[in-house]
Amino acid sequence: MSKMFSVVTLDAPNSLMTEYFVPGRPDGLDELLDCDEISEALSLWPLGDTIEAKIQTYLYREGETVRADEDDLAFFREHFDELNASDALDCISDHSFSFESDELDFGYGEESEDEEDLEL
């Protein structure tokens, strides 16, 4: 069985580069935001930054392809360098795109129903 996962690198001129291991093959910003860890990191990102997302998708082993699960991702995180150096991983996709942190909508400035009730 072949496991598919991606390494997502987020980088911006005024921020530290961060790297995430995610299942499957995210294609764009909407799919990146489906990952809780990435979504949480982006919600804290400073407004006004241009963020570059680099996505490298890998297959590990041969056979029917399935998305890596959490245990698989922990293994890949821990052993990525040695697996990659030994050619155990096959990079099947490598792409990047940029977006403005201002484009992200995490509901800033919106009041919850409870907060609205308290104002009455």
Side-chain angles (χ1 to χ4, degrees):
M1 185 174 306
S2 177
K3 302 286 185 160
M4 181 190 298
F5 70 99
S6 294
V7 178
V8 177
T9 305
L10 300 177
D11 195 13
N14 300 315
S15 299
L16 293 175
M17 181 175 67
T18 56
E19 187 174 79
Y20 303 92
F21 285 70
V22 299
R25 183 176 169 168
D27 229 4
L29 182 56
D30 289 340
E31 290 178 12
L32 289 182
L33 293 174
D34 287 342
C35 173
D36 291 340
E37 190 177 13
I38 292 175
S39 184
E40 182 179 329
L42 288 174
S43 72
L44 302 173
W45 211 283
L47 294 177
D49 269 353
T50 299
I51 303 168
E52 181 179 0
K54 180 178 181 182
I55 303 169
Q56 295 175 298
T57 302
Y58 296 90
L59 290 179
Y60 176 66
R61 297 198 172 141
E62 294 182 9
E64 178 186 350
T65 301
V66 297
R67 291 168 53 110
D69 61 23
E70 289 302 318
D71 290 336
D72 297 327
L73 293 176
F75 172 78
F76 295 135
R77 241 182 249 110
E78 186 175 334
H79 299 285
F80 182 79
D81 291 334
E82 63 194 72
L83 290 170
N84 202 26
S86 70
D87 292 328
L89 300 176
D90 184 19
C91 184
I92 61 169
S93 175
D94 185 352
H95 71 284
S96 61
F97 61 92
S98 296
F99 58 94
E100 301 295 322
S101 59
D102 298 353
E103 294 176 35
L104 304 171
D105 181 17
F106 292 104
Y108 299 128
E110 295 178 9
E111 295 182 26
S112 71
E113 289 179 25
D114 292 338
E115 290 173 341
E116 288 174 5
D117 289 343
L118 290 175
E119 291 177 6
L120 296 177

